[in-house]
Amino acid sequence: MKNYLLEVCVDSAESACIAAQNGADRLELCSNLVIGGTTPTLALFEEIRKNCDILINVLIRPRFGDFCYSEKEYEVIKGEIRQFVKAGADGVVIGFLKADGSLDCERMKECIALTEGKHVTLHRAFDVCRAPYEALKQSVELGVNTILTSGQEKDCLTGLSCLKELTAAAADRISIMAGSGVCPDNMKQLHEEAGIRHFHMSGKKVLASKMEYRKENVPMGLPAFSEFEIWQTDGKKVARGAEILKMMQF
């Protein structure tokens, strides 16, 4: 059995198949990766499940922005967890903070119970919490399997020293998975300097839209993002990452 893991974050059926075919061990499925990811549709999950024979964890995040959710948003979150567990997801990716920046353990506990024993990842809500080591301890007590983190910094290399401390504090009670900026070129450094064995990457490339006619002055969303660029997983990046991990000493 492998003692390392390569998770690829995807938001389309095409990207999921590319990642699975090029050595990903697990998918984190979301929608809207360009804004950090939101909950995918059930139809997208089912299409990928038909075509990909690897683990699929589903991000449950109802909107862009912070992780302090209203009661109505929380009810939606619980419904989505039930929906994806019933549909056969291998796990969920969740996170809740209170207004004071602490981990919302009550909501975490309730949602973990809804997974019926599936894998649970605490997502990068962890990176904006007030007290990361307290949140780590609480996550262990709650039964969280994995914490996805950049070490409370904008990317994993900037947060390298924190990742090292978190890995030591975890002491194999919970998996610390590095994310944000993970690529084949820094996987060895992340392992050797911080003890990371679980890696989360998007490995994306930007494709040009197939549209020939382009109405450039009518944005459909955030003006900062082009309507004529599509993000997709780069199979070469995933394959290279998988090969590097295979050759490393864990």
Side-chain angles (χ1 to χ4, degrees), residues 16-41:
C17 291
I18 290 167
Q21 291 164 4
N22 283 278
D25 299 304
R26 186 171 72 204
L27 303 175
E28 185 199 281
L29 178 61
C30 66
S31 288
N32 302 308
L33 184 55
V34 71
I35 54 170
T38 56
T39 307
T41 66

PDB file of all heavy atoms in Angstrom, residues 16-41:
ATOM      1  N   ALA A  16     -11.339  15.516 -14.673  1.00  0.00           N
ATOM      2  CA  ALA A  16     -11.350  14.329 -13.821  1.00  0.00           C
ATOM      3  C   ALA A  16     -10.758  13.127 -14.545  1.00  0.00           C
ATOM      4  O   ALA A  16      -9.926  12.394 -13.996  1.00  0.00           O
ATOM      5  CB  ALA A  16     -12.771  14.026 -13.369  1.00  0.00           C
ATOM      6  N   CYS A  17     -11.177  12.922 -15.777  1.00  0.00           N
ATOM      7  CA  CYS A  17     -10.670  11.784 -16.551  1.00  0.00           C
ATOM      8  C   CYS A  17      -9.182  11.934 -16.840  1.00  0.00           C
ATOM      9  O   CYS A  17      -8.422  10.957 -16.759  1.00  0.00           O
ATOM     10  CB  CYS A  17     -11.454  11.650 -17.854  1.00  0.00           C
ATOM     11  SG  CYS A  17     -13.166  11.129 -17.620  1.00  0.00           S
ATOM     12  N   ILE A  18      -8.751  13.146 -17.136  1.00  0.00           N
ATOM     13  CA  ILE A  18      -7.328  13.388 -17.388  1.00  0.00           C
ATOM     14  C   ILE A  18      -6.512  13.075 -16.139  1.00  0.00           C
ATOM     15  O   ILE A  18      -5.474  12.404 -16.206  1.00  0.00           O
ATOM     16  CB  ILE A  18      -7.109  14.852 -17.826  1.00  0.00           C
ATOM     17  CG1 ILE A  18      -7.674  15.077 -19.230  1.00  0.00           C
ATOM     18  CG2 ILE A  18      -5.620  15.208 -17.801  1.00  0.00           C
ATOM     19  CD1 ILE A  18      -7.781  16.541 -19.622  1.00  0.00           C
ATOM     20  N   ALA A  19      -6.978  13.537 -14.980  1.00  0.00           N
ATOM     21  CA  ALA A  19      -6.257  13.289 -13.732  1.00  0.00           C
ATOM     22  C   ALA A  19      -6.199  11.796 -13.416  1.00  0.00           C
ATOM     23  O   ALA A  19      -5.145  11.264 -13.040  1.00  0.00           O
ATOM     24  CB  ALA A  19      -6.920  14.045 -12.587  1.00  0.00           C
ATOM     25  N   ALA A  20      -7.325  11.119 -13.555  1.00  0.00           N
ATOM     26  CA  ALA A  20      -7.386   9.684 -13.253  1.00  0.00           C
ATOM     27  C   ALA A  20      -6.481   8.879 -14.173  1.00  0.00           C
ATOM     28  O   ALA A  20      -5.826   7.915 -13.749  1.00  0.00           O
ATOM     29  CB  ALA A  20      -8.825   9.193 -13.360  1.00  0.00           C
ATOM     30  N   GLN A  21      -6.433   9.254 -15.425  1.00  0.00           N
ATOM     31  CA  GLN A  21      -5.630   8.524 -16.407  1.00  0.00           C
ATOM     32  C   GLN A  21      -4.128   8.764 -16.258  1.00  0.00           C
ATOM     33  O   GLN A  21      -3.324   8.023 -16.814  1.00  0.00           O
ATOM     34  CB  GLN A  21      -6.076   8.908 -17.818  1.00  0.00           C
ATOM     35  CG  GLN A  21      -7.458   8.411 -18.176  1.00  0.00           C
ATOM     36  CD  GLN A  21      -8.047   9.105 -19.388  1.00  0.00           C
ATOM     37  OE1 GLN A  21      -7.393   9.942 -20.036  1.00  0.00           O
ATOM     38  NE2 GLN A  21      -9.300   8.797 -19.702  1.00  0.00           N
ATOM     39  N   ASN A  22      -3.763   9.810 -15.505  1.00  0.00           N
ATOM     40  CA  ASN A  22      -2.348  10.173 -15.415  1.00  0.00           C
ATOM     41  C   ASN A  22      -1.757  10.014 -14.025  1.00  0.00           C
ATOM     42  O   ASN A  22      -0.691  10.556 -13.743  1.00  0.00           O
ATOM     43  CB  ASN A  22      -2.155  11.603 -15.913  1.00  0.00           C
ATOM     44  CG  ASN A  22      -2.202  11.690 -17.432  1.00  0.00           C
ATOM     45  OD1 ASN A  22      -1.212  11.418 -18.105  1.00  0.00           O
ATOM     46  ND2 ASN A  22      -3.363  12.041 -17.974  1.00  0.00           N
ATOM     47  N   GLY A  23      -2.422   9.237 -13.168  1.00  0.00           N
ATOM     48  CA  GLY A  23      -1.786   8.835 -11.922  1.00  0.00           C
ATOM     49  C   GLY A  23      -2.317   9.434 -10.644  1.00  0.00           C
ATOM     50  O   GLY A  23      -1.752   9.194  -9.571  1.00  0.00           O
ATOM     51  N   ALA A  24      -3.399  10.209 -10.709  1.00  0.00           N
ATOM     52  CA  ALA A  24      -3.980  10.715  -9.467  1.00  0.00           C
ATOM     53  C   ALA A  24      -4.499   9.559  -8.626  1.00  0.00           C
ATOM     54  O   ALA A  24      -5.056   8.586  -9.154  1.00  0.00           O
ATOM     55  CB  ALA A  24      -5.119  11.689  -9.770  1.00  0.00           C
ATOM     56  N   ASP A  25      -4.325   9.651  -7.310  1.00  0.00           N
ATOM     57  CA  ASP A  25      -4.861   8.638  -6.400  1.00  0.00           C
ATOM     58  C   ASP A  25      -6.289   8.962  -5.989  1.00  0.00           C
ATOM     59  O   ASP A  25      -7.078   8.068  -5.700  1.00  0.00           O
ATOM     60  CB  ASP A  25      -3.993   8.554  -5.137  1.00  0.00           C
ATOM     61  CG  ASP A  25      -2.570   8.146  -5.446  1.00  0.00           C
ATOM     62  OD1 ASP A  25      -2.381   7.088  -6.069  1.00  0.00           O
ATOM     63  OD2 ASP A  25      -1.647   8.905  -5.080  1.00  0.00           O
ATOM     64  N   ARG A  26      -6.593  10.261  -5.966  1.00  0.00           N
ATOM     65  CA  ARG A  26      -7.917  10.695  -5.514  1.00  0.00           C
ATOM     66  C   ARG A  26      -8.247  12.031  -6.177  1.00  0.00           C
ATOM     67  O   ARG A  26      -7.357  12.826  -6.465  1.00  0.00           O
ATOM     68  CB  ARG A  26      -7.922  10.850  -3.988  1.00  0.00           C
ATOM     69  CG  ARG A  26      -9.290  11.158  -3.387  1.00  0.00           C
ATOM     70  CD  ARG A  26      -9.240  11.088  -1.873  1.00  0.00           C
ATOM     71  NE  ARG A  26      -8.509  12.196  -1.264  1.00  0.00           N
ATOM     72  CZ  ARG A  26      -7.932  12.145  -0.066  1.00  0.00           C
ATOM     73  NH1 ARG A  26      -7.992  11.042   0.659  1.00  0.00           N
ATOM     74  NH2 ARG A  26      -7.296  13.200   0.423  1.00  0.00           N
ATOM     75  N   LEU A  27      -9.526  12.246  -6.408  1.00  0.00           N
ATOM     76  CA  LEU A  27     -10.006  13.524  -6.913  1.00  0.00           C
ATOM     77  C   LEU A  27     -10.673  14.306  -5.790  1.00  0.00           C
ATOM     78  O   LEU A  27     -11.366  13.724  -4.960  1.00  0.00           O
ATOM     79  CB  LEU A  27     -11.030  13.316  -8.033  1.00  0.00           C
ATOM     80  CG  LEU A  27     -10.596  12.496  -9.247  1.00  0.00           C
ATOM     81  CD1 LEU A  27     -11.782  12.303 -10.192  1.00  0.00           C
ATOM     82  CD2 LEU A  27      -9.430  13.158  -9.962  1.00  0.00           C
ATOM     83  N   GLU A  28     -10.450  15.607  -5.777  1.00  0.00           N
ATOM     84  CA  GLU A  28     -11.343  16.492  -5.025  1.00  0.00           C
ATOM     85  C   GLU A  28     -12.215  17.164  -6.071  1.00  0.00           C
ATOM     86  O   GLU A  28     -11.731  17.943  -6.891  1.00  0.00           O
ATOM     87  CB  GLU A  28     -10.616  17.547  -4.216  1.00  0.00           C
ATOM     88  CG  GLU A  28     -11.600  18.366  -3.362  1.00  0.00           C
ATOM     89  CD  GLU A  28     -11.075  19.691  -2.890  1.00  0.00           C
ATOM     90  OE1 GLU A  28     -10.312  19.709  -1.906  1.00  0.00           O
ATOM     91  OE2 GLU A  28     -11.431  20.716  -3.508  1.00  0.00           O
ATOM     92  N   LEU A  29     -13.487  16.842  -6.070  1.00  0.00           N
ATOM     93  CA  LEU A  29     -14.404  17.354  -7.079  1.00  0.00           C
ATOM     94  C   LEU A  29     -15.102  18.610  -6.578  1.00  0.00           C
ATOM     95  O   LEU A  29     -15.662  18.622  -5.486  1.00  0.00           O
ATOM     96  CB  LEU A  29     -15.447  16.294  -7.440  1.00  0.00           C
ATOM     97  CG  LEU A  29     -16.514  16.722  -8.454  1.00  0.00           C
ATOM     98  CD1 LEU A  29     -15.886  17.094  -9.794  1.00  0.00           C
ATOM     99  CD2 LEU A  29     -17.544  15.620  -8.627  1.00  0.00           C
ATOM    100  N   CYS A  30     -15.065  19.651  -7.414  1.00  0.00           N
ATOM    101  CA  CYS A  30     -15.741  20.897  -7.078  1.00  0.00           C
ATOM    102  C   CYS A  30     -16.310  21.500  -8.351  1.00  0.00           C
ATOM    103  O   CYS A  30     -16.189  20.935  -9.435  1.00  0.00           O
ATOM    104  CB  CYS A  30     -14.772  21.880  -6.417  1.00  0.00           C
ATOM    105  SG  CYS A  30     -13.452  22.468  -7.510  1.00  0.00           S
ATOM    106  N   SER A  31     -16.926  22.632  -8.221  1.00  0.00           N
ATOM    107  CA  SER A  31     -17.244  23.508  -9.339  1.00  0.00           C
ATOM    108  C   SER A  31     -16.514  24.814  -9.112  1.00  0.00           C
ATOM    109  O   SER A  31     -16.049  25.094  -8.003  1.00  0.00           O
ATOM    110  CB  SER A  31     -18.753  23.764  -9.432  1.00  0.00           C
ATOM    111  OG  SER A  31     -19.435  22.617  -9.891  1.00  0.00           O
ATOM    112  N   ASN A  32     -16.367  25.608 -10.175  1.00  0.00           N
ATOM    113  CA  ASN A  32     -15.831  26.966 -10.043  1.00  0.00           C
ATOM    114  C   ASN A  32     -14.463  27.026  -9.372  1.00  0.00           C
ATOM    115  O   ASN A  32     -14.241  27.810  -8.449  1.00  0.00           O
ATOM    116  CB  ASN A  32     -16.832  27.835  -9.276  1.00  0.00           C
ATOM    117  CG  ASN A  32     -18.193  27.889  -9.928  1.00  0.00           C
ATOM    118  OD1 ASN A  32     -18.300  28.181 -11.114  1.00  0.00           O
ATOM    119  ND2 ASN A  32     -19.237  27.569  -9.179  1.00  0.00           N
ATOM    120  N   LEU A  33     -13.546  26.228  -9.868  1.00  0.00           N
ATOM    121  CA  LEU A  33     -12.193  26.215  -9.311  1.00  0.00           C
ATOM    122  C   LEU A  33     -11.547  27.597  -9.379  1.00  0.00           C
ATOM    123  O   LEU A  33     -10.726  27.955  -8.527  1.00  0.00           O
ATOM    124  CB  LEU A  33     -11.344  25.191 -10.073  1.00  0.00           C
ATOM    125  CG  LEU A  33      -9.922  24.926  -9.602  1.00  0.00           C
ATOM    126  CD1 LEU A  33      -9.903  24.543  -8.133  1.00  0.00           C
ATOM    127  CD2 LEU A  33      -9.274  23.840 -10.448  1.00  0.00           C
ATOM    128  N   VAL A  34     -11.938  28.393 -10.353  1.00  0.00           N
ATOM    129  CA  VAL A  34     -11.350  29.722 -10.540  1.00  0.00           C
ATOM    130  C   VAL A  34     -11.590  30.634  -9.341  1.00  0.00           C
ATOM    131  O   VAL A  34     -10.823  31.573  -9.106  1.00  0.00           O
ATOM    132  CB  VAL A  34     -11.882  30.373 -11.848  1.00  0.00           C
ATOM    133  CG1 VAL A  34     -13.334  30.762 -11.706  1.00  0.00           C
ATOM    134  CG2 VAL A  34     -11.035  31.567 -12.259  1.00  0.00           C
ATOM    135  N   ILE A  35     -12.617  30.365  -8.536  1.00  0.00           N
ATOM    136  CA  ILE A  35     -12.864  31.162  -7.325  1.00  0.00           C
ATOM    137  C   ILE A  35     -12.646  30.326  -6.059  1.00  0.00           C
ATOM    138  O   ILE A  35     -13.212  30.593  -5.013  1.00  0.00           O
ATOM    139  CB  ILE A  35     -14.280  31.779  -7.321  1.00  0.00           C
ATOM    140  CG1 ILE A  35     -15.378  30.718  -7.518  1.00  0.00           C
ATOM    141  CG2 ILE A  35     -14.388  32.870  -8.367  1.00  0.00           C
ATOM    142  CD1 ILE A  35     -16.789  31.253  -7.289  1.00  0.00           C
ATOM    143  N   GLY A  36     -11.825  29.306  -6.175  1.00  0.00           N
ATOM    144  CA  GLY A  36     -11.478  28.504  -5.008  1.00  0.00           C
ATOM    145  C   GLY A  36     -12.329  27.277  -4.796  1.00  0.00           C
ATOM    146  O   GLY A  36     -12.072  26.495  -3.889  1.00  0.00           O
ATOM    147  N   GLY A  37     -13.367  27.109  -5.636  1.00  0.00           N
ATOM    148  CA  GLY A  37     -14.185  25.908  -5.580  1.00  0.00           C
ATOM    149  C   GLY A  37     -15.477  26.093  -4.817  1.00  0.00           C
ATOM    150  O   GLY A  37     -15.506  26.711  -3.747  1.00  0.00           O
ATOM    151  N   THR A  38     -16.550  25.560  -5.372  1.00  0.00           N
ATOM    152  CA  THR A  38     -17.844  25.488  -4.705  1.00  0.00           C
ATOM    153  C   THR A  38     -18.401  24.082  -4.926  1.00  0.00           C
ATOM    154  O   THR A  38     -17.815  23.272  -5.657  1.00  0.00           O
ATOM    155  CB  THR A  38     -18.830  26.539  -5.255  1.00  0.00           C
ATOM    156  OG1 THR A  38     -18.950  26.370  -6.679  1.00  0.00           O
ATOM    157  CG2 THR A  38     -18.364  27.947  -4.945  1.00  0.00           C
ATOM    158  N   THR A  39     -19.533  23.780  -4.302  1.00  0.00           N
ATOM    159  CA  THR A  39     -20.121  22.450  -4.412  1.00  0.00           C
ATOM    160  C   THR A  39     -20.459  22.117  -5.868  1.00  0.00           C
ATOM    161  O   THR A  39     -21.111  22.916  -6.544  1.00  0.00           O
ATOM    162  CB  THR A  39     -21.403  22.362  -3.568  1.00  0.00           C
ATOM    163  OG1 THR A  39     -21.113  22.783  -2.236  1.00  0.00           O
ATOM    164  CG2 THR A  39     -21.945  20.937  -3.544  1.00  0.00           C
ATOM    165  N   PRO A  40     -20.061  20.950  -6.355  1.00  0.00           N
ATOM    166  CA  PRO A  40     -20.414  20.553  -7.722  1.00  0.00           C
ATOM    167  C   PRO A  40     -21.850  20.058  -7.799  1.00  0.00           C
ATOM    168  O   PRO A  40     -22.500  19.826  -6.770  1.00  0.00           O
ATOM    169  CB  PRO A  40     -19.435  19.407  -8.004  1.00  0.00           C
ATOM    170  CG  PRO A  40     -19.243  18.773  -6.660  1.00  0.00           C
ATOM    171  CD  PRO A  40     -19.251  19.923  -5.677  1.00  0.00           C
ATOM    172  N   THR A  41     -22.328  19.869  -9.009  1.00  0.00           N
ATOM    173  CA  THR A  41     -23.664  19.296  -9.182  1.00  0.00           C
ATOM    174  C   THR A  41     -23.602  17.780  -9.039  1.00  0.00           C
ATOM    175  O   THR A  41     -22.559  17.152  -9.255  1.00  0.00           O
ATOM    176  CB  THR A  41     -24.247  19.638 -10.554  1.00  0.00           C
ATOM    177  OG1 THR A  41     -23.455  18.997 -11.572  1.00  0.00           O
ATOM    178  CG2 THR A  41     -24.275  21.139 -10.784  1.00  0.00           C
TER     179      THR A  41
END
